[in-house]
Amino acid sequence: MVIPVHDVNPVRRTPWVTYALIAANVLVFLSTPGIAGSVAGGSDLAQLCHLQAFMDHYAAVPRELIHHQIPPVVPTGDTGVGPHGPGCVVASPSYDKSPPLSVFTAMFLHGSWLHLLGNMLFLLIFGNNVEDRMGHIRYFLSYVVCGYAAGYGFALLNAASGDPLIGASGAIAGVLGAYIVLWPGARVWVLVPFLVFLPLRLPAWLVLGFWFVLQAVYSSGHGVSDAGTVAYAAHVVGFVAGMLLAWPLKPGTPPPPEPPGLLFGRRARPRYTW
């Protein structure tokens, strides 16, 4: 994968919604019970049980979304000792969970720093321009709609799954889909791992199109060993939803101020005209 670091596509107004979404995701991550220990690699059983209970409460679970009901027993966050040794205690849920609402809360949950920072990097680079074009309110609504499309799309394809679905990836995939429709020729600075990280300035259609193709391939289970733990299908659905929502705005979108061609090294140094 290439790593985007900057796009040469100035904005006219401050992307307050993008900044607010990033801040909310970081704050939720830092306040997630048990996440500090799991990130440091030193989680004990109590922390893991607390984290599992929290995720089951606020994450989207495909089986719950499809059947619109929660299981009869869920993790309580407590620890105990059973026939097979220490473990997490399960019991009847003490809360009334709304499966549709869980799709929204799941958009702000992340399982690791890498998961969080990767998502926020893509949102920061591409979200500001999409927000600038759509406006603050429409941008936020499209973000949420893409997140819901991704969540329910993944649930329909994995209706029997009881694994929690977390992360802003589906909603952010919608932002990427909107960006490739509105500015396919915009230049994006990326780092390409080739012995060392090689800086290149590539068109958005190539960077985001390559990303989308990878998600589609991975969602089929090919080319990746952890296809069962990453919701690649949600990324695909969110991306397509973002493209559809942005399509009506394409005719009035001004082109980015960047000449064609692939540049690299010193010749690719961006001109900062904000």
Side-chain angles (χ1 to χ4, degrees):
M1 273 294 292
V2 297
I3 304 173
V5 293
H6 173 66
D7 69 328
V8 187
N9 195 1
V11 296
R12 299 166 300 170
R13 47 191 165 187
T14 304
W16 294 116
V17 175
T18 297
Y19 292 160
L21 287 171
I22 293 173
N25 276 278
V26 172
L27 289 174
V28 170
F29 180 78
L30 293 176
S31 61
T32 300
I35 201 67
S38 65
V39 170
S43 297
D44 57 23
L45 180 60
Q47 290 177 318
L48 291 176
C49 291
H50 202 180
L51 178 60
Q52 183 181 5
F54 182 85
M55 291 297 181
D56 274 43
H57 187 176
Y58 293 105
V61 178
R63 188 166 55 203
E64 296 175 5
L65 296 179
I66 298 301
H67 301 290
H68 200 72
Q69 61 182 12
I70 61 177
V73 292
V74 296
T76 65
D78 298 323
T79 60
V81 179
H84 302 288
C88 300
V89 175
V90 295
S92 299
S94 60
Y95 51 81
D96 185 16
K97 179 180 180 180
S98 169
L101 182 60
S102 71
V103 178
F104 181 78
T105 56
M107 295 182 203
F108 298 91
L109 302 177
H110 292 84
S112 68
W113 275 110
L114 183 62
H115 188 198
L116 172 71
L117 295 179
N119 278 344
M120 296 305 101
L121 176 64
F122 275 81
L123 180 59
L124 178 63
I125 293 173
F126 300 105
N128 59 346
N129 292 102
V130 178
E131 180 178 352
D132 188 45
R133 181 66 183 91
M134 289 186 172
H136 303 308
I137 296 177
R138 183 160 51 178
Y139 168 72
F140 177 73
L141 292 177
S142 69
Y143 181 92
V144 174
V145 168
C146 290
Y148 267 86
Y152 273 98
F154 181 82
L156 288 172
L157 296 173
N158 301 270
S161 174
D163 297 328
L165 179 64
I166 62 172
S169 305
I172 294 172
V175 174
L176 305 185
Y179 194 101
I180 200 173
V181 166
L182 298 174
W183 300 282
R187 298 297 161 182
V188 181
W189 273 82
V190 299
L191 296 177
V192 180
F194 183 74
L195 299 180
V196 294
F197 283 102
L198 180 66
L200 294 176
R201 192 173 67 188
L202 304 175
W205 67 264
L206 181 59
V207 176
L208 300 182
F210 179 66
W211 181 88
F212 176 75
V213 170
L214 281 182
Q215 306 310 300
V217 171
Y218 291 166
S219 68
S220 66
H222 298 291
V224 65
S225 61
D226 62 347
T229 61
V230 179
Y232 293 110
H235 303 171
V236 173
V237 175
F239 192 95
V240 173
M243 292 182 68
L244 294 176
L245 290 175
W247 202 266
L249 300 176
K250 183 174 176 59
T253 302
E258 186 63 24
L262 305 182
L263 301 177
F264 59 91
R266 295 178 63 86
R267 294 178 58 227
R269 187 167 297 167
R271 297 184 298 275
Y272 293 101
T273 55
W274 301 96

